[in-house]
Amino acid sequence: MSARSPRPSRIITTLLAAGAIAITAGCSGGIAGGNDPGESGAAPEGPIALGMLAPFSGSESAFGVYMQQGAELAIQEINADGGVLGQELELVVEDDACDATTSVAAANKLVTEGIVASVGGYCSGATLPTLPIFDQAGIPMVIPAANSNDLPDAGLPGVFLINGTGTQQAQSAVQYAQQEGATTVAVIDDATSYSADLAEAFVEQADAAGVEVAFEATVTPGENDYASVATQLAQAAPDLVYWTGYYQEGALINRQSVDAGFEGIFMVADGSIDASFAEITGEGYIENVVGTFTQTPDMLVGAESWIADYEELAGAAPGPYSTQAYDAVRIVAQAMEDAGSTEFDAVVTALEGLEDFETFAGPLTFTEDHTRESGGFVIVSIDPESGQFVLKDDLQG
Amino acid sequence: MMQLIWNGLIVGSFYSLVALGYSMVYGIIKLLNFAHGDIYMLGAFVGFLVLSSFGGIPAAMSIPALLVILLLAMVVTGLIGVAIERVAYRPLRSSPRLAVLITAIGVSFTLEYGIRQLFGPNPRAFPVRLSSESFDVLGMRVSLSQLVLVVVAAVLMFVLAHIVERTREGRAMRAIALDPQAAHLMGVNVNRVIATVFFIGSALAGAAGVMAGAYYGSIDFLMGFVIGLKAFTAAVIGGIGNLYGAMLGGLLLGLLESFGAAWLGGEWRDVFSFAILIVILTFKPTGLLGARVVERM
């Protein structure tokens, strides 16, 4: 296998890295030996490797690059500050192609490369099967992007999610609905599991908040004509409707609903946040559209210097999930620093103990099931000039 | 109620236009042309390409401009249909029918993923939109664009019926449908007539594609897939091979979907409409207007 490996350079790099570790380890008595903390053996020797699985090929590959660069920036800053536990951090990335089979192989590869924590995970479907692999290897995971409820539901001790899940997204949607004085709401999903789960969470939270759910519907994605659901929506006449599917259908439903006489707010979930939404739904149909979305770098207030640093490192502007990956690295580094060790139990305890850790999406404290206590989502609306979704309300005020 | 009927008629006219091509091709060479839905998609992309190369078109001009584009796209998709027949179906005409079915599926994938390579996988917004200002008639919200759409569909179907029933070419088509060998012996140029059928059927699908682009506003490389299946269903319900059957089947399917979605909810729509279709076919296996089945050798 190795003799015919399509990527021989990778193996050579690994060998060199292993050699480098051996050499550093050999010298550590002289350089780092003096300031070793009390528990000798717990602190690592040689660079601390963090692993990241992300898509670098296929349709989602742009996000992998954003995540990698975000993580690299955090590592650069931390190393410039003296590293973690006296050691430098380094990032090892592997392509999971947003595919379950590829991600399992890639996760095993990361484990053999000796990573001590994972800061990757973009596609939930590709991240889920890697959970037991990292768990058995004793590697804690701080997942920056993937946010399916299936991840915390797996119940593994070392899995932490820093992106908001469906529950938090539904929470922000209901919060905004109340803020806008909506008394009746509706929800439409596209029958995919992501969309249906989010719709269900939205209905639960709306009920809990005392907002009446006037209309619920499911549509078949991939069609053009949604006139029947649009007509029903217009008749139910809720103050706000929440669309939990993707942008193509969402844009068509919005347009057809307005044509059918719907006058409320059309709110979309993160799957519909795309510049094509405005294009497809068309001019004159975007004023009533808002969305719930994970914060992206261009929505940050007062982060100009961060963006400048990022551009200097990456040679390109940050994109979606750059900030989350950046935060994931900082969170892991902080936990290791707190734990005084890179050992699994100690790091997990330290992660659970984090309190109001500053992240781009607001202060972070982990709940019992290792998801964010709150926040992570903002309200966006469409800028009529560019057709892009831009920040409208960060829901923190 | 009236609104449901109107909604159903709009979707139904798209189904009918596409179903006509299925039905004509099946009627004449007993081929299920699975690439037909993709011709609809090609029509939309031809319109997209021409419109985007023109740049902006003033809103007042949008309807006349669209009619021109419509004709242009019909010619282009018609020629593509003829080419597909020439390359993928004619050489196999005397082969087992399964072989042609597979080449049809092959053509379908070739068109879909060819377009994906050219235009990318993401949906594209159609450059010209029919204005959707609406007015109330008989308790229905009707927009000008919907009227244009229904009228254009009706005109196209009328012209088609005229061609098939009143012209020499049409008589030749009907003759081939009855018995290709006898027609050939009687001096009918079979290849030319079949090419004409492909031209007309593909042109109708292309027209439906342009109208869908202008009406709904979003096109993508897989847009022909679902409508292809639905139109095929419509053609069978109406009685495949029968032109009026295809029109009727398309409208009926549109109405069933509209009522199914309203009565039972969107997630039950397909269950409802297809359950009724199963019942219809159980009692009338040849379809609503299906002719007596003439078994040929």
Side-chain angles (χ1 to χ4, degrees):
Chain A
M1 170 72 191
S2 62
R4 291 183 189 188
S5 167
R7 283 189 283 177
S9 61
R10 173 79 72 178
I11 288 170
I12 293 168
T13 324
T14 316
L15 288 175
L16 286 178
I21 291 169
I23 293 164
T24 328
C27 302
S28 67
I31 300 167
N35 51 11
D36 213 338
E39 293 174 23
S40 68
E45 298 182 337
I48 299 175
L50 303 181
M52 170 179 275
L53 289 181
F56 293 98
S57 61
S59 59
E60 309 293 316
S61 54
F63 297 102
V65 177
Y66 289 135
M67 285 169 61
Q68 178 184 7
Q69 290 165 346
E72 295 279 11
L73 178 59
I75 286 178
Q76 192 184 46
E77 288 178 8
I78 291 166
N79 286 346
D81 243 16
V84 170
L85 306 174
Q87 304 292 342
E88 296 230 309
L89 287 180
E90 66 169 17
L91 186 70
V92 187
V93 297
E94 278 296 332
D95 181 15
D96 70 10
C98 195
D99 167 72
T101 324
T102 317
S103 70
V104 167
N108 282 316
K109 189 143 181 281
L110 285 180
V111 170
T112 57
E113 283 175 18
I115 63 160
V116 296
S118 160
V119 291
Y122 171 78
C123 295
S124 298
T127 308
L128 193 58
T130 67
L131 263 47
I133 298 173
F134 288 125
D135 180 60
Q136 274 162 25
I139 295 169
M141 301 172 76
V142 175
I143 302 174
N147 62 354
S148 160
N149 282 328
D150 291 342
L151 299 168
D153 288 350
L156 295 173
V159 177
F160 293 81
L161 270 63
I162 63 169
N163 197 0
T165 60
T167 314
Q168 276 110 32
Q169 177 156 211
Q171 214 171 42
S172 350
V174 172
Q175 187 185 339
Y176 183 74
Q178 286 181 303
Q179 196 176 310
E180 291 295 302
T183 54
T184 55
V185 295
V187 63
I188 306 176
D189 69 72
D190 70 3
T192 60
S193 84
Y194 149 79
S195 175
D197 288 351
L198 184 53
E200 197 182 320
F202 179 75
V203 170
E204 268 171 31
Q205 306 225 12
D207 281 341
V211 180
E212 187 200 339
V213 180
F215 176 63
E216 286 178 62
T218 301
V219 299
T220 315
E223 297 188 343
N224 275 331
D225 199 294
Y226 296 104
S228 55
V229 75
T231 307
Q232 287 172 287
L233 177 67
Q235 277 162 4
D239 297 323
L240 175 146
V241 60
Y242 193 37
W243 160 249
T244 61
Y246 293 92
Y247 63 86
Q248 188 180 14
E249 291 83 12
L252 293 171
I253 294 173
N254 175 48
R255 185 182 178 93
Q256 293 170 20
S257 300
V258 173
D259 283 345
F262 173 66
E263 285 170 347
I265 300 172
F266 194 90
M267 179 185 253
V268 301
D270 53 359
S272 282
I273 306 295
D274 190 288
S276 305
F277 188 99
E279 235 185 305
I280 294 172
T281 205
E283 260 174 63
Y285 291 84
I286 55 173
E287 291 76 13
N288 63 330
V289 178
V290 295
T292 49
F293 196 45
T294 319
Q295 202 164 44
T296 58
D298 52 314
M299 297 174 188
L300 296 174
V301 186
E304 289 80 9
S305 71
W306 184 83
I307 293 175
D309 288 348
Y310 183 100
E311 281 170 350
E312 197 191 321
L313 174 88
Y321 302 107
S322 294
T323 56
Q324 283 88 343
Y326 174 86
D327 283 335
V329 170
R330 287 174 52 243
I331 288 164
V332 168
Q334 182 66 46
M336 287 176 178
E337 218 34 271
D338 291 351
S341 152
T342 58
E343 196 257 326
F344 182 77
D345 291 333
V347 173
V348 168
T349 313
L351 282 168
E352 284 169 345
L354 283 181
E355 237 173 82
D356 290 340
F357 184 81
E358 269 313 316
T359 69
F360 280 109
L364 173 123
T365 306
F366 285 113
T367 60
E368 262 175 31
D369 60 357
H370 294 180
T371 59
R372 304 185 71 95
E373 200 153 67
S374 67
F377 282 91
V378 297
I379 300 296
V380 291
S381 62
I382 299 176
D383 172 34
E385 296 289 310
S386 65
Q388 302 278 352
F389 278 92
V390 293
L391 183 68
K392 179 182 173 73
D393 188 338
D394 63 8
L395 294 177
Q396 286 176 14
Chain B
M1 183 70 179
M2 292 302 282
Q3 185 70 49
L4 292 181
I5 294 177
W6 183 242
N7 288 346
L9 285 180
I10 300 287
V11 192
S13 23
F14 284 109
Y15 291 164
S16 295
L17 278 178
V18 182
L20 279 171
Y22 263 114
S23 209
M24 287 175 75
V25 167
Y26 184 84
I28 199 155
I29 54 170
K30 300 288 172 282
L31 162 69
L32 295 178
N33 181 12
F34 274 114
H36 194 62
D38 299 302
I39 300 281
Y40 161 88
M41 178 269 294
L42 282 181
F45 274 92
V46 169
F48 173 80
L49 206 60
V50 175
L51 283 171
S52 7
S53 58
F54 273 152
I57 287 176
M61 288 297 289
S62 66
I63 288 183
L66 269 176
L67 289 179
V68 174
I69 303 289
L70 191 74
L71 289 176
L72 197 69
M74 284 175 72
V75 172
V76 174
T77 51
L79 292 176
I80 294 174
V82 172
I84 290 173
E85 193 269 334
R86 184 70 193 83
V87 171
Y89 303 150
R90 190 180 298 179
L92 293 157
R93 202 177 292 155
S94 51
S95 320
R97 205 154 296 154
L98 261 183
V100 197
L101 192 66
I102 296 302
T103 52
I105 293 173
V107 170
S108 167
F109 276 106
T110 311
L111 294 180
E112 283 170 12
Y113 290 90
I115 290 292
R116 192 183 84 148
Q117 285 315 105
L118 290 177
F119 292 91
N122 294 324
R124 306 295 285 265
F126 208 71
V128 169
R129 296 294 273 269
L130 290 172
S131 90
S132 42
E133 275 171 50
S134 53
F135 37 90
D136 290 330
V137 189
L138 300 170
M140 308 183 287
R141 279 179 88 92
V142 176
S143 69
L144 188 62
S145 58
Q146 292 175 324
L147 285 178
V148 170
L149 204 121
V150 171
V151 168
V152 170
V155 166
L156 289 176
M157 290 189 219
F158 177 79
V159 169
L160 175 74
H162 178 80
I163 291 177
V164 172
E165 293 192 342
R166 296 287 154 81
T167 65
R168 255 178 90 81
E169 200 75 15
R171 201 183 315 148
M173 287 174 197
R174 284 177 287 141
I176 295 177
L178 281 175
D179 190 334
Q181 268 146 0
H184 185 62
L185 291 173
M186 298 309 283
V188 175
N189 185 341
V190 175
N191 281 341
R192 213 195 58 179
V193 174
I194 290 178
T196 314
V197 166
F198 268 87
F199 183 88
I200 297 177
S202 304
L204 289 179
V210 174
M211 294 201 293
Y215 178 62
Y216 296 115
S218 138
I219 61 176
D220 66 274
F221 73 101
L222 281 179
M223 66 188 278
F225 180 70
V226 173
I227 196 165
L229 282 183
K230 296 269 171 82
F232 173 56
T233 316
V236 174
I237 289 307
I240 195 155
N242 183 310
L243 295 187
Y244 296 105
M247 301 178 197
L248 181 69
L251 294 179
L252 180 70
L253 186 60
L255 288 173
L256 282 177
E257 289 190 349
S258 174
F259 280 97
W263 287 340
L264 301 172
E267 59 272 51
W268 286 98
R269 186 198 62 190
D270 288 347
V271 178
F272 173 79
S273 48
F274 280 87
I276 295 208
L277 299 184
I278 291 172
V279 173
I280 293 180
L281 283 183
T282 316
F283 288 102
K284 195 121 180 20
T286 53
L288 290 174
L289 302 183
R292 293 143 282 142
V293 184
V294 185
E295 272 305 328
R296 288 201 271 112
M297 287 320 204

